[in-house]
Amino acid sequence: MTSFKKTRPHTIVFDLDGTLVDTAPDLITALNYVLDREGLPPVPMASARNMIGAGARKLIERGLEAEGRTVTPADMDRMTADFIAYYADHIAVESRPFDGLEAALDHFAAQGHRLAVCTNKLEWLSKRLLDQLDLSRRFAAICGADTFGVQKPDPTIFRETVARAGGDVKASIMVGDAGTDVGVARRAGVPVIGVSFGYTDVPIAELKPDRLIHHMRDLPAAAIDLMATSYN
């Protein structure tokens, strides 16, 4: 892995699902649990991966759309509650950090950079997942869709996450896998590194992140490059 050059300390802000952790197996299992309770067939894992990323309610909506179904708002509330309850109890059965993640985090920490999580997952679910994977201790802030009352791509969630981590937005970088991550970075006026191994219905390369990586081993070098340019 590329060695760091000394740079101004930055806050590296990560999306969670599809960026830090491969959560698809447990999320889709929870989705299929809810669909089965409604008498609907399961959604195949391969096609369902790209439904992830906008929160539990949206995941269920997309699962229903795949079967040509719509439900009332009250039914959606019930299904979302069922999903969250099941998922919370099965949150890290198969979910695992992406290969190379912990080494990349070690490199950032060794150079004094702050690490934070900014996700459209609920905060308490995010913390539960990261706790079970022994990752929570690595982050100065873990913020979700309910933390500040807004979701990505609203830039408020990014700015407040950086502030909670004790960082400066002017010295921060977003790392994510989907349009909401690129969108929040653009609206907050910060650079963004896209990962190609996550969950998105639009290929991340088409969203033109400032840097694109295909493995976590490449993240430190991409971040160094950005820190050494006009964002430093």
mmCIF file of all heavy atoms in Angstrom, residues 8-13 112-116 140-141 155-174 185 188-191 227 230-232:
data_model
loop_
_atom_site.group_PDB
_atom_site.id
_atom_site.type_symbol
_atom_site.label_atom_id
_atom_site.label_comp_id
_atom_site.label_asym_id
_atom_site.label_seq_id
_atom_site.Cartn_x
_atom_site.Cartn_y
_atom_site.Cartn_z
ATOM 1 N N ARG A 8 -2.098 18.010 5.652
ATOM 2 C CA ARG A 8 -2.982 18.566 6.661
ATOM 3 C C ARG A 8 -3.985 17.485 7.084
ATOM 4 O O ARG A 8 -4.531 16.778 6.233
ATOM 5 C CB ARG A 8 -3.707 19.753 6.049
ATOM 6 C CG ARG A 8 -4.766 20.388 6.921
ATOM 7 C CD ARG A 8 -5.509 21.449 6.130
ATOM 8 N NE ARG A 8 -6.573 22.052 6.914
ATOM 9 C CZ ARG A 8 -7.482 22.882 6.393
ATOM 10 N NH1 ARG A 8 -7.442 23.178 5.106
ATOM 11 N NH2 ARG A 8 -8.410 23.402 7.164
ATOM 12 N N PRO A 9 -4.248 17.330 8.376
ATOM 13 C CA PRO A 9 -5.230 16.328 8.798
ATOM 14 C C PRO A 9 -6.588 16.560 8.140
ATOM 15 O O PRO A 9 -7.079 17.688 8.078
ATOM 16 C CB PRO A 9 -5.300 16.527 10.317
ATOM 17 C CG PRO A 9 -3.975 17.102 10.675
ATOM 18 C CD PRO A 9 -3.610 17.991 9.529
ATOM 19 N N HIS A 10 -7.157 15.509 7.628
ATOM 20 C CA HIS A 10 -8.458 15.551 6.977
ATOM 21 C C HIS A 10 -9.457 14.679 7.731
ATOM 22 O O HIS A 10 -9.077 13.834 8.545
ATOM 23 C CB HIS A 10 -8.349 15.054 5.533
ATOM 24 C CG HIS A 10 -7.907 16.096 4.556
ATOM 25 N ND1 HIS A 10 -6.711 16.774 4.681
ATOM 26 C CD2 HIS A 10 -8.510 16.571 3.430
ATOM 27 C CE1 HIS A 10 -6.592 17.630 3.669
ATOM 28 N NE2 HIS A 10 -7.667 17.528 2.902
ATOM 29 N N THR A 11 -10.728 14.901 7.439
ATOM 30 C CA THR A 11 -11.778 14.010 7.905
ATOM 31 C C THR A 11 -12.232 13.181 6.707
ATOM 32 O O THR A 11 -12.714 13.739 5.709
ATOM 33 C CB THR A 11 -12.963 14.789 8.488
ATOM 34 O OG1 THR A 11 -12.500 15.655 9.521
ATOM 35 C CG2 THR A 11 -14.012 13.827 9.046
ATOM 36 N N ILE A 12 -12.058 11.883 6.813
ATOM 37 C CA ILE A 12 -12.484 10.969 5.749
ATOM 38 C C ILE A 12 -13.849 10.425 6.159
ATOM 39 O O ILE A 12 -13.973 9.750 7.180
ATOM 40 C CB ILE A 12 -11.490 9.810 5.559
ATOM 41 C CG1 ILE A 12 -10.037 10.317 5.566
ATOM 42 C CG2 ILE A 12 -11.808 9.042 4.285
ATOM 43 C CD1 ILE A 12 -9.707 11.295 4.481
ATOM 44 N N VAL A 13 -14.858 10.749 5.373
ATOM 45 C CA VAL A 13 -16.233 10.410 5.700
ATOM 46 C C VAL A 13 -16.706 9.274 4.790
ATOM 47 O O VAL A 13 -16.658 9.396 3.562
ATOM 48 C CB VAL A 13 -17.159 11.630 5.546
ATOM 49 C CG1 VAL A 13 -18.588 11.275 5.936
ATOM 50 C CG2 VAL A 13 -16.646 12.805 6.381
ATOM 51 N N GLY A 112 -3.087 10.635 11.534
ATOM 52 C CA GLY A 112 -3.839 11.640 12.274
ATOM 53 C C GLY A 112 -5.104 12.131 11.607
ATOM 54 O O GLY A 112 -5.687 13.137 12.041
ATOM 55 N N HIS A 113 -5.561 11.430 10.575
ATOM 56 C CA HIS A 113 -6.806 11.821 9.930
ATOM 57 C C HIS A 113 -8.002 11.297 10.716
ATOM 58 O O HIS A 113 -7.963 10.191 11.271
ATOM 59 C CB HIS A 113 -6.859 11.285 8.494
ATOM 60 C CG HIS A 113 -5.735 11.786 7.635
ATOM 61 N ND1 HIS A 113 -5.569 13.114 7.333
ATOM 62 C CD2 HIS A 113 -4.715 11.129 7.024
ATOM 63 C CE1 HIS A 113 -4.501 13.264 6.573
ATOM 64 N NE2 HIS A 113 -3.957 12.074 6.377
ATOM 65 N N ARG A 114 -9.054 12.090 10.785
ATOM 66 C CA ARG A 114 -10.279 11.662 11.456
ATOM 67 C C ARG A 114 -11.092 10.786 10.503
ATOM 68 O O ARG A 114 -11.078 11.005 9.291
ATOM 69 C CB ARG A 114 -11.118 12.868 11.868
ATOM 70 C CG ARG A 114 -10.484 13.737 12.928
ATOM 71 C CD ARG A 114 -11.386 14.924 13.245
ATOM 72 N NE ARG A 114 -10.846 15.745 14.318
ATOM 73 C CZ ARG A 114 -9.976 16.721 14.149
ATOM 74 N NH1 ARG A 114 -9.520 16.990 12.934
ATOM 75 N NH2 ARG A 114 -9.533 17.422 15.180
ATOM 76 N N LEU A 115 -11.845 9.866 11.086
ATOM 77 C CA LEU A 115 -12.712 8.985 10.306
ATOM 78 C C LEU A 115 -14.133 9.129 10.808
ATOM 79 O O LEU A 115 -14.369 9.231 12.019
ATOM 80 C CB LEU A 115 -12.248 7.536 10.432
ATOM 81 C CG LEU A 115 -10.788 7.247 10.051
ATOM 82 C CD1 LEU A 115 -10.436 5.802 10.364
ATOM 83 C CD2 LEU A 115 -10.551 7.558 8.579
ATOM 84 N N ALA A 116 -15.092 9.142 9.877
ATOM 85 C CA ALA A 116 -16.497 9.284 10.255
ATOM 86 C C ALA A 116 -17.366 8.485 9.295
ATOM 87 O O ALA A 116 -16.935 8.146 8.183
ATOM 88 C CB ALA A 116 -16.912 10.753 10.251
ATOM 89 N N ALA A 140 -14.794 8.670 14.701
ATOM 90 C CA ALA A 140 -15.056 9.768 15.629
ATOM 91 C C ALA A 140 -16.531 10.147 15.634
ATOM 92 O O ALA A 140 -17.000 10.772 16.593
ATOM 93 C CB ALA A 140 -14.213 10.983 15.245
ATOM 94 N N ALA A 141 -17.256 9.801 14.583
ATOM 95 C CA ALA A 141 -18.692 10.073 14.512
ATOM 96 C C ALA A 141 -19.337 9.033 13.609
ATOM 97 O O ALA A 141 -18.759 8.639 12.593
ATOM 98 C CB ALA A 141 -18.954 11.477 13.973
ATOM 99 N N PRO A 155 -26.735 18.288 1.990
ATOM 100 C CA PRO A 155 -25.377 18.510 2.510
ATOM 101 C C PRO A 155 -25.318 18.725 4.014
ATOM 102 O O PRO A 155 -24.249 18.605 4.613
ATOM 103 C CB PRO A 155 -24.907 19.757 1.760
ATOM 104 C CG PRO A 155 -26.174 20.482 1.408
ATOM 105 C CD PRO A 155 -27.168 19.401 1.107
ATOM 106 N N THR A 156 -26.464 19.011 4.631
ATOM 107 C CA THR A 156 -26.465 19.231 6.081
ATOM 108 C C THR A 156 -25.944 18.012 6.822
ATOM 109 O O THR A 156 -25.181 18.135 7.791
ATOM 110 C CB THR A 156 -27.884 19.574 6.570
ATOM 111 O OG1 THR A 156 -28.327 20.760 5.915
ATOM 112 C CG2 THR A 156 -27.904 19.792 8.080
ATOM 113 N N ILE A 157 -26.337 16.811 6.374
ATOM 114 C CA ILE A 157 -25.910 15.602 7.084
ATOM 115 C C ILE A 157 -24.396 15.429 6.993
ATOM 116 O O ILE A 157 -23.754 15.002 7.965
ATOM 117 C CB ILE A 157 -26.654 14.347 6.557
ATOM 118 C CG1 ILE A 157 -26.360 13.137 7.447
ATOM 119 C CG2 ILE A 157 -26.316 14.057 5.108
ATOM 120 C CD1 ILE A 157 -27.190 11.906 7.115
ATOM 121 N N PHE A 158 -23.813 15.799 5.870
ATOM 122 C CA PHE A 158 -22.357 15.701 5.729
ATOM 123 C C PHE A 158 -21.660 16.717 6.622
ATOM 124 O O PHE A 158 -20.741 16.375 7.381
ATOM 125 C CB PHE A 158 -21.946 15.904 4.270
ATOM 126 C CG PHE A 158 -20.466 15.771 4.049
ATOM 127 C CD1 PHE A 158 -19.900 14.540 3.750
ATOM 128 C CD2 PHE A 158 -19.617 16.869 4.171
ATOM 129 C CE1 PHE A 158 -18.530 14.406 3.577
ATOM 130 C CE2 PHE A 158 -18.247 16.744 4.000
ATOM 131 C CZ PHE A 158 -17.706 15.505 3.692
ATOM 132 N N ARG A 159 -22.097 17.959 6.544
ATOM 133 C CA ARG A 159 -21.443 19.017 7.335
ATOM 134 C C ARG A 159 -21.536 18.738 8.826
ATOM 135 O O ARG A 159 -20.559 18.913 9.571
ATOM 136 C CB ARG A 159 -22.086 20.361 7.003
ATOM 137 C CG ARG A 159 -21.834 20.832 5.569
ATOM 138 C CD ARG A 159 -22.594 22.095 5.270
ATOM 139 N NE ARG A 159 -22.439 22.511 3.882
ATOM 140 C CZ ARG A 159 -23.429 22.977 3.123
ATOM 141 N NH1 ARG A 159 -24.646 23.098 3.632
ATOM 142 N NH2 ARG A 159 -23.208 23.323 1.862
ATOM 143 N N GLU A 160 -22.710 18.285 9.269
ATOM 144 C CA GLU A 160 -22.886 18.019 10.696
ATOM 145 C C GLU A 160 -22.098 16.786 11.139
ATOM 146 O O GLU A 160 -21.632 16.718 12.283
ATOM 147 C CB GLU A 160 -24.377 17.848 11.015
ATOM 148 C CG GLU A 160 -25.198 19.125 10.846
ATOM 149 C CD GLU A 160 -24.769 20.228 11.794
ATOM 150 O OE1 GLU A 160 -24.291 19.918 12.901
ATOM 151 O OE2 GLU A 160 -24.909 21.415 11.420
ATOM 152 N N THR A 161 -21.952 15.808 10.248
ATOM 153 C CA THR A 161 -21.133 14.640 10.571
ATOM 154 C C THR A 161 -19.681 15.051 10.778
ATOM 155 O O THR A 161 -19.030 14.631 11.741
ATOM 156 C CB THR A 161 -21.234 13.578 9.458
ATOM 157 O OG1 THR A 161 -22.583 13.117 9.371
ATOM 158 C CG2 THR A 161 -20.321 12.397 9.749
ATOM 159 N N VAL A 162 -19.166 15.869 9.875
ATOM 160 C CA VAL A 162 -17.787 16.346 10.005
ATOM 161 C C VAL A 162 -17.616 17.140 11.295
ATOM 162 O O VAL A 162 -16.636 16.972 12.023
ATOM 163 C CB VAL A 162 -17.389 17.188 8.780
ATOM 164 C CG1 VAL A 162 -16.016 17.843 8.992
ATOM 165 C CG2 VAL A 162 -17.369 16.333 7.519
ATOM 166 N N ALA A 163 -18.588 17.999 11.587
ATOM 167 C CA ALA A 163 -18.510 18.793 12.818
ATOM 168 C C ALA A 163 -18.510 17.894 14.051
ATOM 169 O O ALA A 163 -17.741 18.107 14.997
ATOM 170 C CB ALA A 163 -19.678 19.772 12.875
ATOM 171 N N ARG A 164 -19.369 16.875 14.052
ATOM 172 C CA ARG A 164 -19.432 15.967 15.197
ATOM 173 C C ARG A 164 -18.123 15.207 15.359
ATOM 174 O O ARG A 164 -17.730 14.864 16.483
ATOM 175 C CB ARG A 164 -20.609 15.002 15.037
ATOM 176 C CG ARG A 164 -20.779 14.072 16.218
ATOM 177 C CD ARG A 164 -22.109 13.333 16.198
ATOM 178 N NE ARG A 164 -23.235 14.210 16.477
ATOM 179 C CZ ARG A 164 -24.476 13.781 16.739
ATOM 180 N NH1 ARG A 164 -24.739 12.479 16.744
ATOM 181 N NH2 ARG A 164 -25.445 14.639 16.990
ATOM 182 N N ALA A 165 -17.437 14.954 14.263
ATOM 183 C CA ALA A 165 -16.148 14.261 14.319
ATOM 184 C C ALA A 165 -15.014 15.192 14.731
ATOM 185 O O ALA A 165 -13.881 14.739 14.919
ATOM 186 C CB ALA A 165 -15.838 13.629 12.958
ATOM 187 N N GLY A 166 -15.314 16.487 14.848
ATOM 188 C CA GLY A 166 -14.289 17.448 15.239
ATOM 189 C C GLY A 166 -13.447 17.928 14.084
ATOM 190 O O GLY A 166 -12.355 18.465 14.288
ATOM 191 N N GLY A 167 -13.967 17.766 12.865
ATOM 192 C CA GLY A 167 -13.206 18.134 11.683
ATOM 193 C C GLY A 167 -13.653 19.438 11.057
ATOM 194 O O GLY A 167 -14.506 20.162 11.589
ATOM 195 N N ASP A 168 -13.071 19.736 9.902
ATOM 196 C CA ASP A 168 -13.347 20.944 9.132
ATOM 197 C C ASP A 168 -13.806 20.507 7.748
ATOM 198 O O ASP A 168 -13.093 19.758 7.066
ATOM 199 C CB ASP A 168 -12.066 21.786 9.035
ATOM 200 C CG ASP A 168 -12.252 23.068 8.235
ATOM 201 O OD1 ASP A 168 -13.317 23.272 7.625
ATOM 202 O OD2 ASP A 168 -11.297 23.872 8.199
ATOM 203 N N VAL A 169 -14.981 20.959 7.331
ATOM 204 C CA VAL A 169 -15.508 20.563 6.018
ATOM 205 C C VAL A 169 -14.520 20.904 4.909
ATOM 206 O O VAL A 169 -14.425 20.166 3.903
ATOM 207 C CB VAL A 169 -16.883 21.229 5.758
ATOM 208 C CG1 VAL A 169 -17.329 21.016 4.322
ATOM 209 C CG2 VAL A 169 -17.921 20.682 6.723
ATOM 210 N N LYS A 170 -13.772 21.995 5.066
ATOM 211 C CA LYS A 170 -12.822 22.401 4.028
ATOM 212 C C LYS A 170 -11.662 21.422 3.898
ATOM 213 O O LYS A 170 -10.912 21.477 2.922
ATOM 214 C CB LYS A 170 -12.294 23.801 4.319
ATOM 215 C CG LYS A 170 -13.369 24.880 4.224
ATOM 216 C CD LYS A 170 -12.797 26.241 4.560
ATOM 217 C CE LYS A 170 -13.883 27.318 4.489
ATOM 218 N NZ LYS A 170 -13.356 28.666 4.858
ATOM 219 N N ALA A 171 -11.500 20.556 4.881
ATOM 220 C CA ALA A 171 -10.457 19.520 4.839
ATOM 221 C C ALA A 171 -11.136 18.170 5.063
ATOM 222 O O ALA A 171 -10.901 17.486 6.061
ATOM 223 C CB ALA A 171 -9.381 19.774 5.882
ATOM 224 N N SER A 172 -12.025 17.812 4.145
ATOM 225 C CA SER A 172 -12.743 16.550 4.273
ATOM 226 C C SER A 172 -12.942 15.919 2.898
ATOM 227 O O SER A 172 -12.895 16.601 1.876
ATOM 228 C CB SER A 172 -14.092 16.764 4.962
ATOM 229 O OG SER A 172 -14.928 17.612 4.196
ATOM 230 N N ILE A 173 -13.166 14.620 2.909
ATOM 231 C CA ILE A 173 -13.361 13.835 1.683
ATOM 232 C C ILE A 173 -14.497 12.850 1.940
ATOM 233 O O ILE A 173 -14.567 12.235 3.008
ATOM 234 C CB ILE A 173 -12.085 13.058 1.309
ATOM 235 C CG1 ILE A 173 -10.941 14.017 0.971
ATOM 236 C CG2 ILE A 173 -12.333 12.109 0.128
ATOM 237 C CD1 ILE A 173 -9.592 13.326 0.787
ATOM 238 N N MET A 174 -15.376 12.700 0.958
ATOM 239 C CA MET A 174 -16.445 11.703 1.027
ATOM 240 C C MET A 174 -16.010 10.454 0.271
ATOM 241 O O MET A 174 -15.381 10.542 -0.780
ATOM 242 C CB MET A 174 -17.728 12.267 0.399
ATOM 243 C CG MET A 174 -18.920 11.318 0.438
ATOM 244 S SD MET A 174 -19.539 11.092 2.131
ATOM 245 C CE MET A 174 -20.413 9.533 1.978
ATOM 246 N N ALA A 185 -21.531 15.103 -1.629
ATOM 247 C CA ALA A 185 -20.205 15.717 -1.734
ATOM 248 C C ALA A 185 -20.251 16.974 -2.608
ATOM 249 O O ALA A 185 -19.686 18.010 -2.243
ATOM 250 C CB ALA A 185 -19.208 14.717 -2.299
ATOM 251 N N ALA A 188 -21.959 19.752 -0.771
ATOM 252 C CA ALA A 188 -21.156 20.252 0.352
ATOM 253 C C ALA A 188 -19.860 20.892 -0.126
ATOM 254 O O ALA A 188 -19.133 21.482 0.681
ATOM 255 C CB ALA A 188 -20.852 19.115 1.321
ATOM 256 N N GLY A 189 -19.557 20.761 -1.408
ATOM 257 C CA GLY A 189 -18.351 21.366 -1.962
ATOM 258 C C GLY A 189 -17.071 20.661 -1.587
ATOM 259 O O GLY A 189 -16.022 21.294 -1.426
ATOM 260 N N VAL A 190 -17.158 19.314 -1.477
ATOM 261 C CA VAL A 190 -15.969 18.534 -1.115
ATOM 262 C C VAL A 190 -15.720 17.459 -2.166
ATOM 263 O O VAL A 190 -16.632 17.075 -2.900
ATOM 264 C CB VAL A 190 -16.135 17.879 0.281
ATOM 265 C CG1 VAL A 190 -16.422 18.936 1.332
ATOM 266 C CG2 VAL A 190 -17.230 16.819 0.272
ATOM 267 N N PRO A 191 -14.489 16.950 -2.247
ATOM 268 C CA PRO A 191 -14.194 15.889 -3.214
ATOM 269 C C PRO A 191 -14.783 14.558 -2.776
ATOM 270 O O PRO A 191 -15.035 14.334 -1.585
ATOM 271 C CB PRO A 191 -12.669 15.838 -3.234
ATOM 272 C CG PRO A 191 -12.270 16.327 -1.878
ATOM 273 C CD PRO A 191 -13.280 17.377 -1.515
ATOM 274 N N MET A 227 -5.788 15.077 -1.342
ATOM 275 C CA MET A 227 -5.279 15.990 -0.321
ATOM 276 C C MET A 227 -4.149 16.868 -0.846
ATOM 277 O O MET A 227 -3.971 18.009 -0.380
ATOM 278 C CB MET A 227 -4.763 15.184 0.880
ATOM 279 C CG MET A 227 -5.830 14.475 1.677
ATOM 280 S SD MET A 227 -5.052 13.471 2.991
ATOM 281 C CE MET A 227 -6.427 12.414 3.464
ATOM 282 N N SER A 230 -5.984 20.719 -5.027
ATOM 283 C CA SER A 230 -6.599 21.996 -4.638
ATOM 284 C C SER A 230 -7.429 21.895 -3.366
ATOM 285 O O SER A 230 -7.860 22.908 -2.830
ATOM 286 C CB SER A 230 -7.502 22.506 -5.770
ATOM 287 O OG SER A 230 -8.502 21.554 -6.075
ATOM 288 N N TYR A 231 -7.663 20.669 -2.871
ATOM 289 C CA TYR A 231 -8.488 20.533 -1.668
ATOM 290 C C TYR A 231 -7.653 20.648 -0.405
ATOM 291 O O TYR A 231 -8.190 20.599 0.692
ATOM 292 C CB TYR A 231 -9.217 19.184 -1.694
ATOM 293 C CG TYR A 231 -10.078 19.015 -2.897
ATOM 294 C CD1 TYR A 231 -9.713 18.140 -3.912
ATOM 295 C CD2 TYR A 231 -11.257 19.752 -3.033
ATOM 296 C CE1 TYR A 231 -10.520 17.997 -5.038
ATOM 297 C CE2 TYR A 231 -12.047 19.606 -4.153
ATOM 298 C CZ TYR A 231 -11.677 18.729 -5.152
ATOM 299 O OH TYR A 231 -12.459 18.597 -6.265
ATOM 300 N N ASN A 232 -6.356 20.724 -0.522
ATOM 301 C CA ASN A 232 -5.492 20.753 0.678
ATOM 302 C C ASN A 232 -5.370 22.172 1.225
ATOM 303 O O ASN A 232 -5.449 23.124 0.500
ATOM 304 C CB ASN A 232 -4.125 20.197 0.336
ATOM 305 C CG ASN A 232 -3.378 19.782 1.564
ATOM 306 O OD1 ASN A 232 -3.941 19.604 2.627
ATOM 307 N ND2 ASN A 232 -2.072 19.629 1.417
#
